Amino acid sequence: MKTSRLSTLLDDAPDLLPAEGTVLVLGPRAGSDLSALPADRVRAVQGFRPDHDALAAQGYKVTPEPAGNDHAAALVILPRSRAEGRAMVAEAAARVRPGAPVWIDGQKTDGIDTMLRDLRGRAEVPGSLVKAHGRIFSFAGGEPARFADWQAQPLTPAEGFRTWPGVFSAEAVDRGSLLLAAALPADLKGRVADLGAGWGWLAAQVLGRPGVKSVDLVEADHLALACARANVTDPRAIFHWADATQFKPERVCDVVVMNPPFHQGRAADPSLGASFIAAAARVLSPAGVLWMVANRHLPYEAALTGAFREVQELPGDGGFKLFRASHPHRAPAPGSAPSPHRGVARRRR
C-alpha cells in the first residue's frame, strides 16, 4: 500500500511536518512510498521479516518493535485488522511529543472511514484528504490516556496459549492446523522444522512426540514468534525470525510440518505456498518427509510432485486437504545431465 496521500498532503502544506525530530512510521510495507519524509528521520516499525529487510535495504532505520517516546510525528499505515489498527493508533499517540501530529493513512477496504469515525469521538480531526480509494487524516498525539482502551490485549485461543491482535488465527486454532496435528503419526521422530510456525500451537503438538529431537519454529511475523516463544517452553524448541522460503537450518531436517500462508495482501497467491513447498524440499534430508495442510481450492499438487518423489493425499475435510510427501528431489550437480525421473521444483519467489 502506497502512502502517496502523505506526499500530496505535505506538498500542499509542508509546514505540517515538524522541522526537526524523528518520525515514527508504524506498519510500512516493502512497497510503501515514504518519500515525503526525510529518510534519515524515519524510524520505521515492521515485524514482517521480508518487509523489514526490504525497508532496511532502502536505507531506513527499521525495527520490529517501536522504541522511544519523543518522536516529532507519527504515521500509522492502517492494517486490515480493526483491533490491530486501534492498537497502532494508541501506540503512536503514546510515543510522540505532546501535540505532535499523528497521521493515519489507509484504504477504504481496510476500514479507514470507520477509523475516522471512531477517532472523531476521541480527538479533534481538522480535516482529511481523500485520494486513490483511500484517505489520510491526523490528530494531535501525546495524550495516550485517550486511547487506553485501544491498547492491545492478549487473547487466549486455546488453553495454555496466548496471542495478540494482528497475529494469524489469533482467536482460535486454525482448522487446518487441527487437522494436520491429528494426522501426524505418534512415532514422529528426528529433527523437525515448522515453516510458518505462527504462535506455536502446531509445534507444541509435534513436541508432544517423545521421538522428536528438536523443532525449528520458523516465522516471519515477529509478534507471532514472540507469542510462540512464550507459548512453547520445551527446550527442544528453536526459534527463528525468518522468511520461511529462505530458511537455512544448521542441519538438514528429517521432517517438515507446515500450514503455509496463501495471501500477500487480499488476493490469494498460490505461488507463496509453492515457495514453501520448495523450501521444505530444500531443508529436508534425502529421505525426509513433509506433512502439509492446505485449503482445498489451492492447486499445490504440481508443486508437490515437482519437488518430491512420493506424494500422497491423506483424508481431509470439505475445506482442507492433507499431504504427505517424501524423498525430495535434489538439483543435479553443475554440468551433469538431469535424471529423466526427477521432477523440476518451482523457482522460489
PDB file of all heavy atoms in Angstrom, residues 86 122 145-151 153:
ATOM      1  N   ARG A  86      -6.367  -0.119  15.857  1.00  0.00           N
ATOM      2  CA  ARG A  86      -6.585   0.690  17.054  1.00  0.00           C
ATOM      3  C   ARG A  86      -5.367   0.655  17.970  1.00  0.00           C
ATOM      4  O   ARG A  86      -4.971   1.683  18.544  1.00  0.00           O
ATOM      5  CB  ARG A  86      -7.817   0.182  17.802  1.00  0.00           C
ATOM      6  CG  ARG A  86      -9.138   0.547  17.137  1.00  0.00           C
ATOM      7  CD  ARG A  86     -10.309   0.079  17.975  1.00  0.00           C
ATOM      8  NE  ARG A  86     -11.553   0.725  17.583  1.00  0.00           N
ATOM      9  CZ  ARG A  86     -12.679   0.647  18.291  1.00  0.00           C
ATOM     10  NH1 ARG A  86     -12.710  -0.060  19.415  1.00  0.00           N
ATOM     11  NH2 ARG A  86     -13.765   1.269  17.871  1.00  0.00           N
ATOM     12  N   ARG A 122     -12.851  10.950  19.971  1.00  0.00           N
ATOM     13  CA  ARG A 122     -11.801  10.996  20.975  1.00  0.00           C
ATOM     14  C   ARG A 122     -10.832  12.157  20.792  1.00  0.00           C
ATOM     15  O   ARG A 122     -10.154  12.547  21.738  1.00  0.00           O
ATOM     16  CB  ARG A 122     -10.978   9.689  20.926  1.00  0.00           C
ATOM     17  CG  ARG A 122     -11.779   8.474  21.285  1.00  0.00           C
ATOM     18  CD  ARG A 122     -11.042   7.187  20.952  1.00  0.00           C
ATOM     19  NE  ARG A 122     -11.863   6.052  21.320  1.00  0.00           N
ATOM     20  CZ  ARG A 122     -11.746   5.388  22.460  1.00  0.00           C
ATOM     21  NH1 ARG A 122     -10.832   5.737  23.341  1.00  0.00           N
ATOM     22  NH2 ARG A 122     -12.540   4.365  22.734  1.00  0.00           N
ATOM     23  N   ALA A 145      -3.741   8.542  27.334  1.00  0.00           N
ATOM     24  CA  ALA A 145      -4.880   8.119  28.153  1.00  0.00           C
ATOM     25  C   ALA A 145      -6.172   8.082  27.352  1.00  0.00           C
ATOM     26  O   ALA A 145      -7.086   7.300  27.662  1.00  0.00           O
ATOM     27  CB  ALA A 145      -5.026   9.053  29.351  1.00  0.00           C
ATOM     28  N   ARG A 146      -6.267   8.907  26.296  1.00  0.00           N
ATOM     29  CA  ARG A 146      -7.483   8.928  25.475  1.00  0.00           C
ATOM     30  C   ARG A 146      -7.697   7.607  24.748  1.00  0.00           C
ATOM     31  O   ARG A 146      -8.813   7.293  24.315  1.00  0.00           O
ATOM     32  CB  ARG A 146      -7.394  10.054  24.441  1.00  0.00           C
ATOM     33  CG  ARG A 146      -7.510  11.455  25.021  1.00  0.00           C
ATOM     34  CD  ARG A 146      -7.450  12.483  23.906  1.00  0.00           C
ATOM     35  NE  ARG A 146      -6.165  12.499  23.223  1.00  0.00           N
ATOM     36  CZ  ARG A 146      -5.900  13.202  22.116  1.00  0.00           C
ATOM     37  NH1 ARG A 146      -6.855  13.934  21.576  1.00  0.00           N
ATOM     38  NH2 ARG A 146      -4.708  13.187  21.568  1.00  0.00           N
ATOM     39  N   PHE A 147      -6.618   6.844  24.592  1.00  0.00           N
ATOM     40  CA  PHE A 147      -6.700   5.601  23.815  1.00  0.00           C
ATOM     41  C   PHE A 147      -6.347   4.382  24.661  1.00  0.00           C
ATOM     42  O   PHE A 147      -5.966   3.346  24.123  1.00  0.00           O
ATOM     43  CB  PHE A 147      -5.765   5.691  22.604  1.00  0.00           C
ATOM     44  CG  PHE A 147      -6.071   6.843  21.697  1.00  0.00           C
ATOM     45  CD1 PHE A 147      -5.342   8.024  21.785  1.00  0.00           C
ATOM     46  CD2 PHE A 147      -7.092   6.756  20.773  1.00  0.00           C
ATOM     47  CE1 PHE A 147      -5.618   9.093  20.953  1.00  0.00           C
ATOM     48  CE2 PHE A 147      -7.381   7.830  19.928  1.00  0.00           C
ATOM     49  CZ  PHE A 147      -6.646   9.000  20.024  1.00  0.00           C
ATOM     50  N   ALA A 148      -6.486   4.507  25.979  1.00  0.00           N
ATOM     51  CA  ALA A 148      -6.104   3.395  26.852  1.00  0.00           C
ATOM     52  C   ALA A 148      -6.875   2.120  26.516  1.00  0.00           C
ATOM     53  O   ALA A 148      -6.321   1.017  26.548  1.00  0.00           O
ATOM     54  CB  ALA A 148      -6.326   3.785  28.316  1.00  0.00           C
ATOM     55  N   ASP A 149      -8.144   2.260  26.148  1.00  0.00           N
ATOM     56  CA  ASP A 149      -8.952   1.077  25.843  1.00  0.00           C
ATOM     57  C   ASP A 149      -8.681   0.527  24.444  1.00  0.00           C
ATOM     58  O   ASP A 149      -9.213  -0.521  24.076  1.00  0.00           O
ATOM     59  CB  ASP A 149     -10.438   1.389  26.012  1.00  0.00           C
ATOM     60  CG  ASP A 149     -10.903   2.523  25.118  1.00  0.00           C
ATOM     61  OD1 ASP A 149     -10.131   3.487  24.919  1.00  0.00           O
ATOM     62  OD2 ASP A 149     -12.030   2.456  24.600  1.00  0.00           O
ATOM     63  N   TRP A 150      -7.878   1.244  23.663  1.00  0.00           N
ATOM     64  CA  TRP A 150      -7.498   0.743  22.344  1.00  0.00           C
ATOM     65  C   TRP A 150      -6.192  -0.057  22.389  1.00  0.00           C
ATOM     66  O   TRP A 150      -5.812  -0.674  21.393  1.00  0.00           O
ATOM     67  CB  TRP A 150      -7.333   1.903  21.356  1.00  0.00           C
ATOM     68  CG  TRP A 150      -8.635   2.416  20.825  1.00  0.00           C
ATOM     69  CD1 TRP A 150      -9.876   2.183  21.320  1.00  0.00           C
ATOM     70  CD2 TRP A 150      -8.810   3.251  19.668  1.00  0.00           C
ATOM     71  NE1 TRP A 150     -10.824   2.821  20.564  1.00  0.00           N
ATOM     72  CE2 TRP A 150     -10.199   3.483  19.552  1.00  0.00           C
ATOM     73  CE3 TRP A 150      -7.946   3.823  18.753  1.00  0.00           C
ATOM     74  CZ2 TRP A 150     -10.731   4.269  18.526  1.00  0.00           C
ATOM     75  CZ3 TRP A 150      -8.473   4.605  17.737  1.00  0.00           C
ATOM     76  CH2 TRP A 150      -9.852   4.831  17.623  1.00  0.00           C
ATOM     77  N   GLN A 151      -5.498  -0.025  23.477  1.00  0.00           N
ATOM     78  CA  GLN A 151      -4.242  -0.757  23.568  1.00  0.00           C
ATOM     79  C   GLN A 151      -4.501  -2.252  23.421  1.00  0.00           C
ATOM     80  O   GLN A 151      -5.524  -2.777  23.875  1.00  0.00           O
ATOM     81  CB  GLN A 151      -3.551  -0.459  24.900  1.00  0.00           C
ATOM     82  CG  GLN A 151      -3.092   0.983  25.026  1.00  0.00           C
ATOM     83  CD  GLN A 151      -2.513   1.293  26.388  1.00  0.00           C
ATOM     84  OE1 GLN A 151      -2.559   0.479  27.284  1.00  0.00           O
ATOM     85  NE2 GLN A 151      -1.975   2.496  26.532  1.00  0.00           N
ATOM     86  N   GLN A 153      -4.756  -6.121  23.801  1.00  0.00           N
ATOM     87  CA  GLN A 153      -4.946  -7.009  24.940  1.00  0.00           C
ATOM     88  C   GLN A 153      -4.715  -8.446  24.494  1.00  0.00           C
ATOM     89  O   GLN A 153      -5.084  -8.827  23.376  1.00  0.00           O
ATOM     90  CB  GLN A 153      -6.368  -6.872  25.500  1.00  0.00           C
ATOM     91  CG  GLN A 153      -6.710  -5.470  25.979  1.00  0.00           C
ATOM     92  CD  GLN A 153      -5.836  -5.028  27.135  1.00  0.00           C
ATOM     93  OE1 GLN A 153      -5.510  -5.824  28.019  1.00  0.00           O
ATOM     94  NE2 GLN A 153      -5.441  -3.751  27.139  1.00  0.00           N
TER      95      GLN A 153
END
